[in-house]
Amino acid sequence: MSTDEQKNSNNPVTEEDDSEDAGLNPPFQTPKGVHDILPVDQDFYTYIKKIVRHRCRQAGFRRISTPIFEFTEVFKRSVGEATDIVSKEMYTFEDKKGRSLTLKPESTAAICRSYIQNGMQNWPQPVELYYIEPHFRYERPQAGRYRQFFQFGFEVIGESDPSLDAQAILLAYRIYQDLGIADTLRLQINNIGDLPSRKIYADALRDYYYGKERYLSEEDKVRLVKNPLRILDSKNEDTIILNQSAPKFKDFISKESQSYHEEVLEYLTDLGINFTSNDTLVRGLDYYSQTVFEFWDEKRGGQNSVGGGGRYDGLIELLGGVPTPAIGFAMGLERVIAQMKRNKVRVPSKDDLHVFVAQLGREAKKICLPLINELRERGVKTMGALGKGAIKNQLKIADRFKAPFCILIGLTEVREGTAIIRDMTLGTQSTVKMSRVVEEVIKRIGQKNLDFYNPKDPVNE
RNA sequence: GUGUCCAUAGCUCAGUUGGUUAGAGCGCCAGAUUGUGGCUCUGGAGGUCGUGGGUUCGAAACCCAUUGGACACCCCA
């Protein structure tokens, strides 16, 4: 039989082959660069969020969420038309009325938009906000780089002072400490000056490289036009030599910026935060000015940034607000998790079961249902496989879920009004009166290990 | 956007210079053990060899395309 031939010939019966999912690995799979976050990794996210929230609240920050998409112009204007993010990494689409919208590639721009839109200049200053949100960038996936990723970040808007910069860095540093990776990271810090002096410097660099293009790589030629400061970062051998006699930013930075920077470094030293003063650190977003910083794992080749930030004093004005100074920080949770895993940091899981209820027979099942419910209400994490038959299977399941205790109720127990409590780690068990089961179980688990949910408690996810 | 490597069972991987019925370990299911998990033993299920095309008497293997993955560049979190 030549079924293959039939499939491939223009058989009139199958003219419209539904090839929606043709060529995919499994029939359906996630698009490139995005993935499911499975339970094992949820523990990491939960843990990081908990630490981040705690540290932020401690420092007076409040949480903000901006929409997943904004008008494209918000990002274009802020991040800079010529930057990689805007020129090739945005998920941009049109709505039904032809307006251009973009999935947020970062949050600072959106928060500044929100600052203006919601009149936050009338709030007590500085306005301190933090966020934990998914972001989207159309890039080739790589280690620690995905098309959807979570970012935690914070912004301090409305004041400018070296102590604020140091405080922002301290907060980031404390969070890395709590996460157990501070020792693996080193702060890189630089001051890239204010916009006017940076412009003058960029022009000076252009003048310098003009006529020397033949020594530049193709990449660096593009940089010469787009962002000459980046040439200083080049890995091209000829360029490195050329760079040695290039104009130095030191000679262009304003006195104010310089003393500002020195003051920031002093504060950091006082706070006991080690840093590398790195004058090649240039961030790729246009809105940065003055202080910029990143946290790098220097042991790993390259400059794998686990987080970074900087001052963006001109951004709010650029978006149509009154001139307002600000500083911010952001870290990618996926990169942080990777860093934690590399360094064998363990996170607690709140999902561990306390007790598994196994039952045998219809009568027993009837009793188990309210029992399970009561246990849960008392804060005991309880599971019951009410569908499964043999008690053997049920114990097996309990074992696989690593339940430390099991409650067994069969026909005998129903008749006698009792229940068996089995200690799964010791392998011992005892029979108790049905009316006492809940108390006995709680006694064994320990009151302080219980998991309470109080609907009246305002602090919930 | 550029480059390099990769794709075989749920997972980790074997599969000889192209050769007839594609294997192992772990995991899963069942039994040994009809009211007791873990350990052991026995058996079982599970594969369009990512997808499409080509070369060939014959393709998991060779070629092309495509989808996905890993890594580096670029850039960034």
Coordinates of all heavy atoms in Angstrom, one line a residue, chain B residues 53-72:
Chain B
rG53 P 7.5 14.1 3.3 OP1 6.3 13.8 2.3 OP2 7.9 13.0 4.2 O5' 8.8 14.5 2.4 C5' 8.6 15.0 1.1 C4' 9.9 15.7 0.6 O4' 10.6 16.3 1.8 C3' 10.9 14.8 0.1 O3' 10.6 14.3 -1.3 C2' 12.2 15.7 0.1 O2' 12.1 16.7 -0.9 C1' 12.0 16.3 1.5 N9 12.7 15.5 2.5 C8 12.2 14.7 3.5 N7 13.1 14.2 4.2 C5 14.3 14.6 3.7 C6 15.7 14.3 4.0 O6 16.1 13.6 4.9 N1 16.6 15.0 3.2 C2 16.2 15.8 2.2 N2 17.2 16.4 1.5 N3 15.0 16.1 1.8 C4 14.1 15.5 2.6
rG54 P 11.1 12.8 -1.7 OP1 10.4 12.6 -3.0 OP2 10.9 11.9 -0.6 O5' 12.6 13.0 -1.9 C5' 13.1 13.9 -2.9 C4' 14.6 14.1 -2.8 O4' 15.0 14.5 -1.4 C3' 15.4 12.9 -3.0 O3' 15.6 12.6 -4.4 C2' 16.8 13.2 -2.3 O2' 17.5 14.1 -3.1 C1' 16.2 14.0 -1.1 N9 16.1 13.1 0.1 C8 15.0 12.7 0.8 N7 15.3 11.9 1.8 C5 16.7 11.9 1.9 C6 17.5 11.2 2.8 O6 17.2 10.5 3.7 N1 18.9 11.5 2.4 C2 19.3 12.2 1.4 N2 20.6 12.3 1.3 N3 18.5 12.8 0.5 C4 17.2 12.6 0.8
rU55 P 15.8 11.0 -4.8 OP1 15.8 11.0 -6.3 OP2 14.8 10.2 -4.1 O5' 17.2 10.7 -4.3 C5' 18.4 11.3 -4.8 C4' 19.6 10.8 -4.2 O4' 19.6 11.1 -2.7 C3' 19.7 9.3 -4.2 O3' 20.2 8.8 -5.4 C2' 20.7 9.0 -3.0 O2' 22.1 9.3 -3.4 C1' 20.3 10.1 -2.0 N1 19.3 9.6 -1.0 C2 19.8 8.9 0.1 O2 21.0 8.7 0.2 N3 18.9 8.4 1.0 C4 17.5 8.6 0.9 O4 16.8 8.1 1.8 C5 17.1 9.3 -0.3 C6 17.9 9.7 -1.2
rU56 P 19.5 7.5 -6.1 OP1 20.2 7.3 -7.4 OP2 18.0 7.8 -6.1 O5' 19.8 6.3 -5.2 C5' 21.1 5.9 -4.9 C4' 21.1 4.9 -3.8 O4' 20.7 5.5 -2.6 C3' 20.1 3.7 -4.0 O3' 20.6 2.7 -4.8 C2' 19.9 3.2 -2.5 O2' 21.0 2.4 -2.2 C1' 20.0 4.6 -1.7 N1 18.7 5.1 -1.4 C2 18.1 4.7 -0.2 O2 18.7 4.0 0.6 N3 16.9 5.2 0.1 C4 16.1 6.0 -0.7 O4 15.0 6.4 -0.4 C5 16.8 6.4 -2.0 C6 18.0 5.9 -2.3
rC57 P 19.5 2.1 -5.9 OP1 20.4 1.2 -6.8 OP2 18.7 3.1 -6.5 O5' 18.7 1.1 -5.0 C5' 17.4 0.5 -5.5 C4' 16.9 -0.5 -4.5 O4' 17.9 -1.6 -4.5 C3' 16.8 0.0 -3.1 O3' 15.6 0.7 -2.9 C2' 16.9 -1.3 -2.3 O2' 15.6 -2.0 -2.3 C1' 17.9 -2.1 -3.1 N1 19.3 -1.9 -2.6 C2 19.7 -2.5 -1.4 O2 18.8 -3.2 -0.8 N3 20.9 -2.3 -1.0 C4 21.8 -1.6 -1.7 N4 23.0 -1.5 -1.2 C5 21.4 -1.0 -2.9 C6 20.2 -1.1 -3.3
rG58 P 15.6 2.1 -2.1 OP1 14.2 2.6 -2.0 OP2 16.7 2.9 -2.6 O5' 16.0 1.5 -0.6 C5' 15.1 0.7 0.1 C4' 15.8 0.2 1.4 O4' 16.9 -0.5 1.0 C3' 16.3 1.3 2.3 O3' 15.3 1.9 3.2 C2' 17.4 0.5 3.1 O2' 16.7 -0.3 4.1 C1' 17.9 -0.4 2.1 N9 19.1 0.1 1.5 C8 19.3 0.7 0.2 N7 20.5 1.1 0.0 C5 21.2 0.7 1.1 C6 22.6 0.9 1.4 O6 23.5 1.4 0.7 N1 22.9 0.4 2.7 C2 22.0 -0.2 3.6 N2 22.4 -0.6 4.7 N3 20.7 -0.3 3.3 C4 20.4 0.1 2.0
rA59 P 15.4 3.4 3.6 OP1 14.2 3.7 4.4 OP2 15.7 4.2 2.3 O5' 16.7 3.4 4.5 C5' 16.8 2.7 5.7 C4' 17.3 3.6 6.8 O4' 18.5 4.2 6.4 C3' 16.3 4.8 7.1 O3' 16.5 5.1 8.5 C2' 16.9 5.9 6.3 O2' 16.6 7.2 6.8 C1' 18.4 5.7 6.4 N9 19.2 6.2 5.3 C8 18.8 6.6 4.0 N7 19.7 7.1 3.3 C5 20.9 6.9 4.0 C6 22.2 7.1 3.7 N6 22.7 7.7 2.6 N1 23.1 6.9 4.7 C2 22.7 6.3 5.9 N3 21.4 6.0 6.2 C4 20.6 6.3 5.2
rA60 P 15.4 4.6 9.5 OP1 15.7 3.2 9.8 OP2 14.1 5.0 9.1 O5' 15.8 5.4 10.9 C5' 15.5 6.8 11.0 C4' 16.4 7.5 11.9 O4' 16.7 6.6 13.0 C3' 17.8 7.7 11.3 O3' 17.8 8.9 10.6 C2' 18.7 7.7 12.5 O2' 18.7 9.0 13.2 C1' 18.0 6.7 13.4 N9 18.7 5.3 13.3 C8 18.1 4.2 12.8 N7 18.9 3.1 12.9 C5 20.0 3.6 13.5 C6 21.2 3.0 13.9 N6 21.5 1.7 13.7 N1 22.2 3.8 14.5 C2 21.9 5.1 14.7 N3 20.8 5.8 14.4 C4 19.9 5.0 13.8
rA61 P 18.7 9.1 9.3 OP1 18.5 10.5 8.9 OP2 18.3 8.0 8.4 O5' 20.2 8.9 9.8 C5' 20.8 9.8 10.7 C4' 22.2 9.3 11.0 O4' 22.1 7.9 11.5 C3' 23.2 9.3 9.8 O3' 24.5 9.6 10.3 C2' 23.1 7.8 9.4 O2' 24.3 7.4 8.8 C1' 22.9 7.1 10.7 N9 22.1 5.8 10.4 C8 20.9 5.7 9.9 N7 20.5 4.4 9.8 C5 21.5 3.7 10.3 C6 21.7 2.3 10.5 N6 20.8 1.4 10.2 N1 22.9 2.0 11.1 C2 23.8 2.9 11.4 N3 23.7 4.2 11.3 C4 22.6 4.6 10.7
rC62 P 25.0 11.0 9.9 OP1 26.4 11.1 10.4 OP2 24.0 12.1 10.3 O5' 25.0 11.0 8.3 C5' 26.2 10.7 7.6 C4' 26.1 11.0 6.2 O4' 25.2 10.0 5.6 C3' 25.4 12.3 5.8 O3' 26.3 13.4 5.9 C2' 24.9 12.0 4.4 O2' 25.9 12.2 3.5 C1' 24.5 10.6 4.5 N1 23.0 10.4 4.8 C2 22.1 10.7 3.9 O2 22.4 11.2 2.8 N3 20.8 10.5 4.1 C4 20.4 10.0 5.3 N4 19.1 9.8 5.5 C5 21.4 9.6 6.3 C6 22.7 9.8 6.0
rC63 P 25.7 14.8 6.3 OP1 26.9 15.7 6.5 OP2 24.7 14.7 7.3 O5' 25.0 15.3 4.9 C5' 25.7 15.6 3.8 C4' 24.8 16.1 2.7 O4' 23.8 15.0 2.3 C3' 23.9 17.2 3.1 O3' 24.5 18.5 3.0 C2' 22.7 17.1 2.1 O2' 23.0 17.6 0.9 C1' 22.6 15.5 2.0 N1 21.6 15.0 3.0 C2 20.2 15.1 2.7 O2 19.9 15.7 1.6 N3 19.3 14.6 3.5 C4 19.7 13.9 4.6 N4 18.8 13.4 5.4 C5 21.1 13.8 5.0 C6 22.0 14.3 4.1
rC64 P 24.1 19.6 4.0 OP1 25.0 20.7 3.8 OP2 23.8 19.1 5.3 O5' 22.7 20.1 3.4 C5' 22.6 20.7 2.1 C4' 21.2 20.9 1.7 O4' 20.4 19.7 1.6 C3' 20.3 21.7 2.7 O3' 20.6 23.1 2.6 C2' 18.9 21.3 2.4 O2' 18.5 22.0 1.2 C1' 19.1 19.9 2.0 N1 18.8 19.0 3.2 C2 17.4 18.7 3.4 O2 16.6 19.2 2.7 N3 17.1 17.9 4.5 C4 18.1 17.4 5.2 N4 17.7 16.6 6.3 C5 19.5 17.7 5.0 C6 19.8 18.5 3.9
rA65 P 20.4 24.0 4.0 OP1 20.9 25.4 3.6 OP2 21.0 23.3 5.1 O5' 18.8 24.1 4.2 C5' 18.0 24.8 3.2 C4' 16.5 24.4 3.5 O4' 16.4 23.0 3.5 C3' 16.0 24.8 4.8 O3' 15.6 26.2 4.9 C2' 14.8 23.9 5.0 O2' 13.7 24.3 4.2 C1' 15.3 22.6 4.3 N9 15.9 21.7 5.4 C8 17.2 21.5 5.7 N7 17.3 20.6 6.7 C5 16.0 20.3 7.0 C6 15.5 19.4 8.0 N6 16.3 18.7 8.8 N1 14.2 19.3 8.1 C2 13.4 20.0 7.3 N3 13.8 20.9 6.3 C4 15.1 21.0 6.2
rU66 P 15.8 27.0 6.2 OP1 15.4 28.4 5.9 OP2 17.1 26.7 6.9 O5' 14.6 26.4 7.1 C5' 13.2 26.6 6.8 C4' 12.4 25.7 7.6 O4' 12.8 24.3 7.5 C3' 12.5 25.9 9.2 O3' 11.6 27.0 9.6 C2' 12.0 24.6 9.7 O2' 10.6 24.5 9.7 C1' 12.6 23.6 8.7 N1 13.9 23.0 9.1 C2 13.9 22.0 10.1 O2 12.8 21.6 10.5 N3 15.1 21.6 10.5 C4 16.3 22.0 10.0 O4 17.4 21.5 10.4 C5 16.3 23.0 9.0 C6 15.1 23.5 8.7
rU67 P 12.1 27.8 10.9 OP1 11.3 29.0 10.9 OP2 13.6 27.9 10.9 O5' 11.7 26.9 12.1 C5' 10.3 26.6 12.4 C4' 10.2 25.6 13.5 O4' 10.7 24.3 13.0 C3' 10.9 25.9 14.7 O3' 10.3 26.8 15.6 C2' 11.0 24.5 15.3 O2' 9.8 24.1 15.9 C1' 11.3 23.6 14.1 N1 12.7 23.5 13.8 C2 13.4 22.5 14.5 O2 12.8 21.8 15.4 N3 14.7 22.3 14.3 C4 15.4 23.1 13.4 O4 16.6 22.9 13.2 C5 14.7 24.1 12.7 C6 13.4 24.2 12.9
rG68 P 11.2 27.7 16.5 OP1 10.2 28.6 17.2 OP2 12.3 28.3 15.7 O5' 11.8 26.7 17.6 C5' 10.9 26.2 18.6 C4' 11.6 25.0 19.3 O4' 12.1 24.0 18.3 C3' 12.9 25.4 20.0 O3' 12.7 26.0 21.3 C2' 13.6 24.0 20.2 O2' 12.9 23.2 21.1 C1' 13.3 23.4 18.8 N9 14.4 23.7 17.9 C8 14.4 24.6 16.8 N7 15.6 24.7 16.2 C5 16.3 23.7 16.9 C6 17.7 23.3 16.7 O6 18.5 23.7 15.8 N1 18.1 22.4 17.6 C2 17.3 21.8 18.6 N2 17.8 20.9 19.4 N3 16.0 22.2 18.8 C4 15.6 23.2 17.9
rG69 P 13.8 27.0 21.9 OP1 13.2 27.7 23.1 OP2 14.3 27.8 20.8 O5' 14.9 26.0 22.4 C5' 14.7 25.1 23.4 C4' 15.8 24.2 23.6 O4' 16.2 23.5 22.4 C3' 17.1 24.9 23.9 O3' 17.2 25.3 25.3 C2' 18.2 23.8 23.6 O2' 18.2 22.8 24.5 C1' 17.6 23.3 22.3 N9 18.1 23.9 21.1 C8 17.4 24.8 20.3 N7 18.2 25.2 19.3 C5 19.4 24.6 19.5 C6 20.6 24.7 18.7 O6 20.9 25.3 17.7 N1 21.6 23.9 19.3 C2 21.5 23.2 20.5 N2 22.6 22.5 20.9 N3 20.4 23.1 21.2 C4 19.4 23.8 20.6
rA70 P 18.0 26.5 25.7 OP1 17.7 26.8 27.2 OP2 17.8 27.6 24.7 O5' 19.5 26.0 25.6 C5' 20.0 25.0 26.5 C4' 21.5 24.7 26.2 O4' 21.5 24.2 24.8 C3' 22.4 25.9 26.1 O3' 22.8 26.3 27.4 C2' 23.5 25.4 25.2 O2' 24.4 24.5 25.9 C1' 22.7 24.6 24.2 N9 22.4 25.4 23.0 C8 21.2 26.0 22.7 N7 21.2 26.6 21.6 C5 22.5 26.5 21.1 C6 23.1 26.9 19.9 N6 22.5 27.7 19.0 N1 24.4 26.6 19.7 C2 25.0 25.8 20.7 N3 24.5 25.3 21.8 C4 23.2 25.7 22.0
rC71 P 23.0 27.9 27.7 OP1 23.3 27.9 29.1 OP2 21.9 28.6 27.1 O5' 24.3 28.2 26.8 C5' 25.6 27.6 27.2 C4' 26.6 27.9 26.1 O4' 26.1 27.3 24.9 C3' 26.9 29.3 25.8 O3' 27.7 30.0 26.7 C2' 27.6 29.2 24.4 O2' 28.9 28.7 24.6 C1' 26.7 28.0 23.8 N1 25.7 28.6 23.0 C2 26.0 29.0 21.7 O2 27.2 28.9 21.3 N3 25.1 29.6 20.9 C4 23.8 29.7 21.3 N4 22.9 30.2 20.5 C5 23.4 29.3 22.6 C6 24.4 28.8 23.4
rA72 P 27.6 31.5 27.0 OP1 28.3 31.8 28.2 OP2 26.1 31.9 26.9 O5' 28.3 32.1 25.7 C5' 29.7 31.9 25.6 C4' 30.2 32.3 24.2 O4' 29.5 31.5 23.2 C3' 29.9 33.8 23.8 O3' 30.8 34.7 24.4 C2' 30.1 33.6 22.3 O2' 31.5 33.5 21.9 C1' 29.4 32.3 22.0 N9 28.0 32.5 21.7 C8 26.9 32.3 22.5 N7 25.8 32.6 21.9 C5 26.1 33.0 20.7 C6 25.4 33.5 19.6 N6 24.1 33.6 19.6 N1 26.1 33.8 18.5 C2 27.4 33.7 18.5 N3 28.2 33.3 19.4 C4 27.5 33.0 20.5

